[in-house]
């Protein structure tokens, strides 16, 4: 005689629903990945260079600092003339200073067919 099927209804089912917190993170990641076409600052935290040297990610990328953690920053729209002057000074010493560094391309640029 056999019954015995359908036992185990006592344990509540644990569906670890992390969806509320997890979906927020996923959305934030998507926002970070799919940034708008206008380039925004890379959020440097320069302390001594005043963001006018290639150490500064924003300056090196040709962007003004915007809501960064930097100190004594001069890489701003208000100082655009100074920023331009510093860029030209650096470029005169190193013409490739502000060229985008694309990983994997040969220095000779041997793509031109």
């Amino acid at each position: 005689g056999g019954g015995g099927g359908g036992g185990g209804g006592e344990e509540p089912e644990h569906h670890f629903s992390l969806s509320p917190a997890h979906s927020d993170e996923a959305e934030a990641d998507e926002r970070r990945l799919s940034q708008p076409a206008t380039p925004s600052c890379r959020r440097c935290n320069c302390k001594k260079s005043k963001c006018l040297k290639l150490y500064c990610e924003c300056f090196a990328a040709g962007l003004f600092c915007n809501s960064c953690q930097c100190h004594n920053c001069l890489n701003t729209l208000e100082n655009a003339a100074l920023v331009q002057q510093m860029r030209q000074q650096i470029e005169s010493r190193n013409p490739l200073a502000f060229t985008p560094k694309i990983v994997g391309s040969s220095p000779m640029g041997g793509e031109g067919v």
Side-chain angles (χ1 to χ4, degrees), residues 104-106 108-113:
S105 66
S106 64
M108 297 295 164
E111 290 286 332
V113 177

Side-chain angles (χ1 to χ4, degrees), residues 50-91:
K50 298 186 172 77
C51 302
L52 292 178
K53 299 219 160 78
L54 288 174
Y55 304 118
C56 175
E57 287 182 60
C58 309
F59 181 78
L63 305 170
F64 291 112
C65 288
N66 182 16
S67 66
C68 297
Q69 303 294 314
C70 45
H71 302 277
N72 302 326
C73 177
L74 293 177
N75 184 25
T76 61
L77 197 56
E78 291 79 33
N79 294 314
L82 176 66
V83 172
Q84 188 60 40
Q85 188 183 329
M86 293 301 291
R87 287 212 172 101
Q88 286 170 348
Q89 206 176 350
I90 290 170
E91 266 182 329

Side-chain angles (χ1 to χ4, degrees), residues 89-102:
Q89 206 176 350
I90 290 170
E91 266 182 329
S92 70
R93 280 179 283 157
N94 178 5
L96 301 176
F98 295 102
T99 53
K101 293 163 184 65
I102 299 164

Side-chain angles (χ1 to χ4, degrees), residues 35-40:
Q35 287 180 341
T38 55
S40 62

Side-chain angles (χ1 to χ4, degrees), residues 4-74:
E10 289 83 31
E11 281 185 39
E13 289 185 34
H14 290 293
H15 293 295
F16 292 100
S17 57
L18 299 173
S19 32
H22 186 259
S23 65
D24 287 347
E25 276 181 40
E27 280 175 35
D29 282 344
E30 278 178 37
R31 246 179 271 129
R32 232 174 285 134
L33 292 174
S34 60
Q35 287 180 341
T38 55
S40 62
C41 182
R42 293 156 185 243
R43 302 250 160 92
C44 67
N45 51 8
C46 304
K47 289 181 176 67
K48 293 180 181 165
S49 71
K50 298 186 172 77
C51 302
L52 292 178
K53 299 219 160 78
L54 288 174
Y55 304 118
C56 175
E57 287 182 60
C58 309
F59 181 78
L63 305 170
F64 291 112
C65 288
N66 182 16
S67 66
C68 297
Q69 303 294 314
C70 45
H71 302 277
N72 302 326
C73 177
L74 293 177

